[in-house]
Every structure is written in C-alpha cells, then in structure tokens.
Amino acid sequence: MDKLRITGGRPLNGEVTISGAKNAALPEICAALLTADPVHLNNVPRLRDVATMRLLLDNMGVQTETHGERGGMSFVAPDSLNPEAPYELVKTMRASVLVLGPLLARFGRAKVSLPGGCAIGSRPVDQHIKGLQAMGAEIVVEHGYMVAQLPQGRSRLKGARIATDMVTVTGTENFLMAAALAEGETVLENAAQEPEIPDLAEMLIAMGAKIEGHGTSRIHIQGVDRLHGCTHQVVADRIEAGTFLCAVAATGGDVVLRHGRADHLDAVIDKLRDAGAQIEAGDGFIRVRASGRLKAQSFRTTEYPGFPTDMQAQFMALNCIATGTSKVTETIFENRFMHVNELVRLGAKIQTDGKVAVIEGIDRLQGATVMATDLRASASLVIAGLVAEGETIVDRIYHLDRGYDQMEAKLRGIGADIERIK
Ligand code: EPZ
C-alpha cells in the first residue's frame, strides 16, 4: 500500500495546473451511454475513480480509448451493450449509480448493484429510485441489485415532476440524463446547483438535449427521441483548486493556480480572505498569497453555492494551526469527521460532538504517522503534514489517488518536500 512521506515547514511558491473535475468527468462518462455515436471528452483527470468508471462501461461492452494528450477519452456505446453494473466494480465507487439513468433512458432496462455505504456515511440511493420510478421505471431491489425496467408496452421513460426530499448531486445528474431521452417534459424542483451540473447539462445540450435552468434549483428538460455524439471539455476541478488554496494559506507562500475557476469557489475564497490570505482571480487563474499565521474561521457546510462539504476537512487542517478557536458544522454527511482523530495524532486540539467540531488553533503540529480514511480526509492530512514539524507519513493514500491527479508531483513542483513510498 502506497504512503506519502512529507517533511513540513516549507512555503509553497510557483504555479500549478488544476485538472478536470472528478465530479464532472464521472457523470459525463456515463452520458456517453445515451447515444451510439462516438463521444469525446477532453481534460479528463487521471484518477482511480475515472479508471473504475471506464472499466464499468468497458465491462458493459462500450468501446473506450484514451488519447494521452489533453486528457482525451472517447466512447462508443453500441446498441448491443449489456446494461449491467456488477458489485465488484460498484462497491469501490458509489458514483457507479450514475449509469442507472442513462441505461434506463436508452435501453429501457438496467441491473446495477447497490453501492453500499462508505466511510463518510450510509449514502443511500433512495431518491434516485424514487425519481426514476416517477418517470415510469419499475425498480425492485433484490440480492443487492437494483433491477430496473420499463412497464409492459412502454418503450420510453416519461417526463415527470421530481422533488427530492433533499438536494442530491448525483440524483440530479441521473434525472438529467434520464429525462433527456424521456417522452415529454421533466421538471426537477430542488435540483442541485453544483457547477458540475451545468457542465453535464452543457454536454447533453451539445448532444441534442433540450435543457433550461441548469445551475438553478429548478431545471426543465424537454425529452427528445435520440441524442448524437459530441466533444466536451470537462470543467476544472473546484475542489482540487480549493485544496491547493488551503495548502498555500496554511504553509505560506505565493502560488498561481492555472485553470482554477474562482467563480466556483466564492464561499471558500471568502473564508480564506477572512482568515488573512490574499487571493486574486483573473481569466483562467487564481493567485493565492499568505504569510504567517492566519485567523481561524468557523463555517458550516451546505449545498452549493454554500461552503462545500468536500472542502470541510481541508479547511479544518488550516484551522488547526490558525489563531483562535473555530467551529465547523458538517450538515451534509453524518460521519465526515474521520480526519479529526488523525489530525489529533499530529497534535491538533479538536473536540467533536455529532455534526460539530471545535478546533483550538495552536502554533505547530508535530509530524507523525497517520492514516487516510476517505478522499478528502487524505487531502486534509497532506495539508497538515506540509505544516507539521518534522516528518509525517500518510498511509493508505489510495484514497487520495481516487480523486487527485498526481497530487504529490504537483506539490513537489511548488516546493513541498513530499515523496511517495511504495
Ligand atoms: C456528490 O455525492 C459528490 N460525488 C460528493 O463528492 C459530494 O460530497 C456530494 O455530492 C455532496 O456535495 C460525486 O459527485 C461523484 P448527494 P452524492 O446525493 O451525489 C443524502 C468527493 O469527495 N442522499 O448530494 O452521492 C446523502 O446521504 C465526493 O468527491 C440520500 O439520503 O451526494 C447525503 O447525506 C464525496 N438519498 C445528502 O443526501 C439519496 O438517494 C447529499 O448527498 C441521495 C442522497
């Protein structure tokens, strides 16, 4: 199992390129299932989760190929494809549920393993099932699989008004893809507004879909009979960018993020500025400068455009060595404080009580061996290692590799003393 060895205390200076967004690339790979025409994606990040999703489609009979330069990836999903997603692949990545909508929309049937829980919570898919049933799908859960089909005599899903019990990002994405080929109009009431949703919608529109309101909480989709191929550029990863902003704020330094989209990070940038970091943004870049100790910031995670849950662990690492006491409230997932015990091993002073963590800022963390438990917790531990005194070993960094494209190479490129040990 790979580990990262980090020697802390060095400022970060220079320039780093932000990759395509994991949480846009995953649904957009699934969107290729909606047509038999070739679909080309550019700026696809090199991540384990992307490799897993590609394997999932490959397993169904989709022809996939990568074009090294510019992170290009092409897909051809033939009519003869096998619309099944097996447990062995789905259990490692819950985003596999994103094949359900497109398979039902195009093939009228699907057999997709239930994702199972993960480190940050139970993460059910009941809203996905409820919404697709509203569109006419018959879905039963048997032997750990969702078995979905259209009723006798129906060859297409039908448009519906869908109001989920809570905002769900992949739920919204499943409904967008299903509705694109459904008969009639679909209205998504409390749709997710994360930037990956409009990015997926723009790709579907390039394929011939009729969608309005994407990026707001109310999306209208007018179903069409068929969709054609397209070429789409995956939007930059706002969580990778936010992670680097927090890292530089914590270590001090001056870094330019190429391709970073400040307009997708308002809540995080506001908090970093309040903490004392200087952040300026221009066309296709974000520059962050910081020196000395910052002021700890309290925040609560909420749906976009609020403070993203995917940035909670990283900002908490910054709060550990900032001045003052801060309170972090996690409102989206029920168990997203797995990084706290590991940060405490590095000397952090954190108390948790349910959804709330209270962090008392201290001067310095001490390097130690810590263990990654989930994707963003790993990023939090890397940031802590970059500022801790001495050497930190972060174990189980396959979690990090799921969602960060060459993290240690990018950090080394801006001056971090970090290396991967096999
Ligand atoms: C997406 O997960 C992201 N993953 C997550 O990023 C992100 O943390 C999350 O949205 C919230 O922003 C991808 O886009 C691949 P949800 P998703 O459905 O769609 C509950 C990362 O680090 N819920 O918006 O699975 C759910 O339990 C990952 O990149 C139901 O109860 O999250 C949670 O409490 C981690 N039933 C809340 O809603 C459902 O059917 C929000 O979940 C669906 C969701």
Side-chain angles (χ1 to χ4, degrees):
M1 225 179 283
D2 288 5
K3 300 181 171 68
L4 286 179
R5 176 191 293 131
I6 306 166
T7 303
R10 297 168 59 145
L12 298 175
N13 291 290
E15 193 170 299
V16 71
T17 299
I18 299 303
S19 302
K22 166 178 88 80
N23 291 349
L26 294 176
E28 289 166 4
I29 290 170
C30 296
L33 293 165
L34 290 165
T35 178
D37 294 355
V39 167
H40 302 280
L41 290 176
N42 288 320
N43 197 33
V44 178
R46 276 170 290 189
L47 305 172
R48 278 167 61 101
D49 275 10
V50 167
T52 302
M53 190 62 91
R54 189 185 164 201
L55 202 56
L56 194 58
L57 266 65
D58 216 58
N59 192 50
M60 291 179 196
V62 176
Q63 289 133 42
T64 65
E65 60 180 274
T66 54
H67 320 288
E69 80 295 337
R70 285 202 335 272
M73 209 173 257
S74 298
F75 305 87
V76 177
D79 292 334
S80 59
L81 154 156
N82 170 29
E84 295 206 8
Y87 175 68
E88 294 66 42
L89 286 171
V90 172
K91 72 181 176 190
T92 63
M93 182 184 63
R94 61 168 279 106
S96 311
V97 70
L98 284 166
V99 302
L100 188 58
L103 288 176
L104 261 176
R106 172 143 174 245
F107 301 96
R109 61 193 177 87
K111 186 178 175 194
V112 178
S113 166
L114 281 171
C118 73
I120 63 178
S122 59
R123 302 187 70 190
V125 288
D126 57 305
Q127 302 295 311
H128 296 245
I129 293 172
K130 184 178 124 181
L132 293 168
Q133 285 174 332
M135 296 178 75
E138 291 173 348
I139 304 181
V140 292
V141 174
E142 53 190 35
H143 307 301
Y145 278 78
M146 292 177 277
V147 181
Q149 61 182 18
L150 296 182
Q152 282 301 337
R154 281 201 64 83
S155 63
R156 285 172 77 184
L157 290 170
K158 62 183 189 322
R161 181 184 163 282
I162 301 174
T164 46
D165 299 352
M166 80 292 290
V167 173
T168 159
V169 172
T170 48
T172 301
E173 291 162 347
N174 247 333
F175 304 146
L176 265 182
M177 293 188 279
L181 282 177
E183 196 173 343
E185 185 183 35
T186 295
V187 178
L188 307 184
E189 289 299 352
N190 54 347
Q193 303 177 58
E194 276 70 3
E196 293 76 32
I197 306 275
D199 198 60
L200 170 64
E202 291 304 327
M203 175 185 171
L204 294 170
I205 289 167
M207 295 170 74
K210 291 188 172 43
I211 301 171
E212 289 175 344
H214 40 292
T216 74
S217 60
R218 202 163 196 279
I219 304 178
H220 284 253
I221 305 106
Q222 188 62 41
V224 295
D225 293 345
R226 69 178 295 279
L227 293 171
H228 49 74
C230 76
T231 295
H232 178 74
Q233 165 107 349
V234 178
V235 68
D237 194 319
R238 62 192 166 96
I239 304 301
E240 184 192 22
T243 303
F244 277 99
L245 291 178
C246 282
V248 179
T251 60
D254 181 350
V255 171
V256 171
L257 308 184
R258 284 264 160 266
H259 302 161
R261 288 278 302 263
D263 57 327
H264 290 166
L265 278 165
D266 287 334
V268 174
I269 288 174
D270 284 355
K271 283 294 170 189
L272 286 169
R273 283 181 172 143
D274 291 350
Q278 291 148 284
I279 297 179
E280 59 189 285
D283 184 20
F285 78 88
I286 308 172
R287 180 180 181 190
V288 51
R289 278 173 287 170
S291 59
R293 284 183 74 188
L294 301 182
K295 288 189 300 301
Q297 298 297 313
S298 294
F299 60 90
R300 54 184 299 129
T301 64
T302 57
E303 295 85 3
Y304 195 89
F307 193 100
T309 173
D310 291 348
M311 282 300 306
Q312 179 255 105
Q314 298 92 309
F315 208 103
M316 186 185 286
L318 172 58
N319 276 344
C320 290
I321 42 109
T323 53
T325 300
S326 53
K327 189 169 122 177
V328 170
T329 308
E330 171 57 58
T331 73
I332 305 290
F333 290 111
E334 71 266 25
N335 184 29
R336 203 169 197 176
F337 283 152
M338 309 282 278
H339 43 287
V340 169
N341 290 335
E342 299 304 307
L343 290 170
V344 167
R345 279 181 51 71
L346 296 168
K349 289 192 178 351
I350 309 172
Q351 300 282 338
T352 61
D353 177 6
K355 287 182 176 287
V356 178
V358 176
I359 303 105
E360 188 192 327
I362 57 171
D363 282 4
R364 228 135 180 46
L365 296 174
Q366 274 82 36
T369 297
V370 289
M371 190 175 76
T373 50
D374 60 88
L375 168 55
R376 305 305 171 182
S378 339
S380 171
L381 297 176
V382 170
I383 292 172
L386 291 171
V387 300
E389 211 154 57
E391 184 175 277
T392 296
I393 303 282
V394 183
D395 203 349
R396 300 194 176 179
I397 55 153
Y398 59 86
H399 290 290
L400 193 79
D401 296 338
R402 293 191 53 176
Y404 287 97
D405 186 350
Q406 305 164 80
M407 164 73 87
E408 78 269 13
K410 291 186 178 182
L411 284 169
R412 217 178 11 255
I414 49 178
D417 181 348
I418 180 171
E419 62 173 339
R420 180 180 288 252
I421 35 183
K422 296 285 177 192

